[in-house]
Amino acid sequence: MSTWKPHNTPRIPTPLSILFPLLITYMKVVTTRDSLHTCTDHSHREREIVRTTSFEMASSDKTPTPNPAFQGDHPTPPGKPMTMGQHVLDKGAEMMQSLKPVNQMSQHVCTFALYSHDMTRQIETHHYVTRLNQDFLQCAVYDSDDSHARLIGVEYVVSDRIFETLPPDEQKLWHSHAYEIKAGLWVNPRIPDMIGQPELKNLTKTYGKFWCTWQVDRGDRLPLGAPALMMSPQAVNLGMVKPELVQKRDDKYNISTDALRVSRVEIAEPEWSNPQADYWKQHGKGFAVDVKHTEMKKIAPFP
C-alpha cells in the first residue's frame, strides 16, 4: 500500500472565493482603526464637504456660482485620504475582475487643447487611446500621466472616410489633427518619434470630437457645470499654443517640439481638409453647452 506524502502533492493556489472574504475581513479591521486616527484630523474637511450652498448649473462658457468645490485650497477633489482597508478592497476587486475595456488602451498621447468658447484657455492633455477598428479610436483624457491624474473628458477620433459621412451640423463639432501632428505638438511620450511616425501618418487624416467634463484649469475641484467642447491647435491666430505651455511639456519629457516639427516635414499633408471641421477658423464662432430645464417624458415606453 502506498503512503501519502504531503511533499509530493502539488500546491493548490488559494481560490479567490476564499481569499476575497479574508481581504474584506481585514479591510473592516483596518478601516475601523484608520477611522479612529482620521476622524479628528479630517473633521474640518468633512464639514467643508457637507456644507451646502446654492449652486447654479452653468453654461460651459460661464463660471459656476462660488461653492466648496470651486477654487478650493487644494487641486484634488474634496474628501478623506484612502484608508489601508480601501486599498485592500480595491486590490481584491482588481484580482477578481477582468477590466477588459481598460486593458485595451494601447497608446498614451500628450498634446494640447483649446476651449471652443474661449481659445485663450489652453490645457495640456493626456489621451489614453483604444482603437476599436482602423477608422475609429476612443480616448480617456486626463490632465496628467500621474497615478492620481484626473479624468477630465473623452475624445472620439474618426478617419476622414467616416467624417465625410457625418451631417454638416455634426461636423462643426469636430477638429482636424494634421497641424497638431506636423507641428510636433502631438507626441507619444517615451516612444522614439521614428517608431511612431507610421501611426502619425495615418492620424493626420483623422478628426476628433473632444468633450471636457472637468475644467481643472479654472480651479474646479470637482467636475462642475456643463461639458465644454474643445478644439485642436491650429497654425492661425487664436489656434497657436502658448510657448510657455509647450516648453513646460518639453522639459517634463526631455523632448523638443521644434526638433519634432523638423523630423515630421516628410509626413504628407491631407489632400483636403473639410472646412466644416475647425469651424471657428472660417466663421469666428465657438460653441457652448447650456443646461436648461425641460419637460420630462412621463409616459413609460411599455404597457
Side-chain angles (χ1 to χ4, degrees):
M1 179 180 294
S2 60
T3 303
W4 178 67
K5 298 180 179 180
H7 64 275
N8 290 333
T9 304
R11 182 180 178 184
I12 301 175
T14 304
L16 289 177
S17 59
I18 297 176
L19 177 61
F20 197 54
L22 294 177
L23 291 174
I24 293 177
T25 301
Y26 175 69
M27 184 208 72
K28 291 179 179 179
V29 174
V30 175
T31 300
T32 302
R33 184 188 65 201
D34 290 346
S35 298
L36 294 175
H37 289 297
T38 60
C39 62
T40 301
D41 296 340
H42 300 285
S43 59
H44 67 284
R45 192 174 301 177
E46 286 300 297
R47 287 197 297 271
E48 176 187 1
I49 296 170
V50 300
R51 185 169 69 240
T52 59
T53 184
S54 59
F55 175 64
E56 182 179 329
M57 289 298 290
S59 166
S60 59
D61 65 342
K62 296 178 183 177
T63 301
T65 303
N67 67 91
F70 174 66
Q71 291 188 333
D73 297 331
H74 307 283
T76 55
K80 296 186 297 184
M82 286 179 59
T83 65
M84 180 61 69
Q86 186 64 55
H87 282 293
V88 172
L89 178 61
D90 288 351
K91 182 59 65 174
E94 180 183 349
M95 294 170 62
M96 298 184 68
Q97 297 177 311
S98 64
L99 305 180
K100 289 182 179 179
V102 176
N103 292 332
Q104 297 308 306
M105 293 179 180
S106 57
Q107 289 189 48
H108 167 209
V109 172
C110 178
T111 183
F112 303 92
L114 303 78
Y115 286 84
S116 173
H117 63 270
D118 181 0
M119 301 190 76
T120 64
R121 289 176 58 192
Q122 305 176 355
I123 58 175
E124 177 183 310
T125 57
H126 294 262
H127 304 241
Y128 289 84
V129 186
T130 299
R131 179 180 289 278
L132 296 189
N133 58 48
Q134 202 60 38
D135 292 280
F136 184 89
L137 300 91
Q138 58 189 22
C139 315
V141 185
Y142 292 82
D143 67 329
S144 75
D145 62 352
D146 297 333
S147 59
H148 296 289
R150 293 168 289 185
L151 179 65
I152 63 171
V154 59
E155 179 172 9
Y156 302 101
V157 178
V158 298
S159 66
D160 54 350
R161 185 177 68 85
I162 299 295
F163 183 78
E164 294 302 331
T165 67
L166 300 176
D169 282 345
E170 171 64 25
Q171 291 176 335
K172 295 176 183 178
L173 306 178
W174 296 68
H175 57 262
S176 63
H177 289 135
Y179 169 76
E180 183 179 4
I181 291 171
K182 287 185 62 65
L185 299 171
W186 175 304
V187 301
N188 295 96
R190 304 180 183 89
I191 294 181
D193 203 54
M194 186 67 68
I195 295 176
Q197 281 209 14
E199 174 77 343
L200 295 177
K201 291 177 181 178
N202 293 327
L203 290 170
T204 57
K205 302 176 184 178
T206 62
Y207 297 85
K209 182 166 69 170
F210 174 8
W211 290 106
C212 176
T213 56
W214 191 345
Q215 299 188 37
V216 295
D217 64 300
R218 68 183 180 189
D220 293 10
R221 298 178 65 197
L222 291 174
L224 301 176
L229 186 67
M230 309 298 283
M231 293 289 109
S232 62
Q234 299 295 330
V236 295
N237 202 356
L238 292 175
M240 302 294 290
V241 179
K242 298 172 184 176
E244 59 270 23
L245 202 58
V246 177
Q247 189 61 53
K248 181 180 178 182
R249 191 275 305 272
D250 287 4
D251 291 344
K252 177 179 180 179
Y253 292 117
N254 192 28
I255 61 176
S256 168
T257 294
D258 291 337
L260 291 175
R261 182 186 301 113
V262 173
S263 71
R264 296 177 183 181
V265 168
E266 299 302 322
I267 296 180
E269 294 267 7
E271 295 181 3
W272 184 72
S273 183
N274 192 308
Q276 288 294 98
D278 310 314
Y279 186 78
W280 64 272
K281 289 171 59 178
Q282 301 292 332
H283 305 276
K285 299 288 186 180
F287 296 95
V289 177
D290 287 320
V291 176
K292 63 179 183 179
H293 293 284
T294 186
E295 290 296 324
M296 294 176 58
K297 293 183 179 180
K298 301 176 181 177
I299 300 177
F302 44 82

